[in-house]
Amino acid sequence: MKVCPQCSCGSYGSPRACPGCGADLSEAPDRGGTDLIGMVIDDKYEMTDFIGEGAMGWVYRGRHRSLDSTIAVKLMKPST
C-alpha cells in the first residue's frame, strides 16, 4: 500500500500518482500494518490507532472526518 507524503491518501497496488492530489508516488515506500496510522481514505476516514491484525487484514480505529465519529476500519492485506 502506498501513502501519499503530501495528503496522506492511501492507495493499493503500485500507483504512479496519488488518487487524491496527483503527487508522484514513485519514491513512496510500501507500507502496511502499524505504518498506516494517519492515512486518509477517500478524504473521509482517518486511521488513528492500530487495533490488530489477522491473516487477511489489519484493523484500525479511525475517525470519520466530517461526522467527527469513531469508526472501525478493516483493510485487506495486498495479495502476494
Side-chain angles (χ1 to χ4, degrees):
M1 175 166 275
K2 300 277 186 178
V3 178
C4 179
Q6 292 183 20
C7 71
S8 299
C9 183
S11 183
Y12 280 106
S14 299
R16 294 182 186 171
C18 172
C21 69
D24 179 26
L25 295 180
S26 61
E27 298 295 319
D30 283 324
R31 294 169 55 180
T34 60
D35 292 338
L36 300 176
I37 293 172
M39 181 181 79
V40 177
I41 299 173
D42 200 25
D43 202 30
K44 294 180 187 178
Y45 313 105
E46 181 178 356
M47 306 305 103
T48 58
D49 298 294
F50 180 74
I51 295 174
E53 174 175 6
M56 295 179 66
W58 302 292
V59 180
Y60 283 86
R61 178 177 293 113
R63 183 177 69 88
H64 190 289
R65 296 170 110 190
S66 62
L67 299 176
D68 195 29
S69 62
T70 302
I71 58 171
V73 179
K74 183 173 185 179
L75 298 172
M76 302 306 291
K77 292 179 180 177
S79 59
T80 55

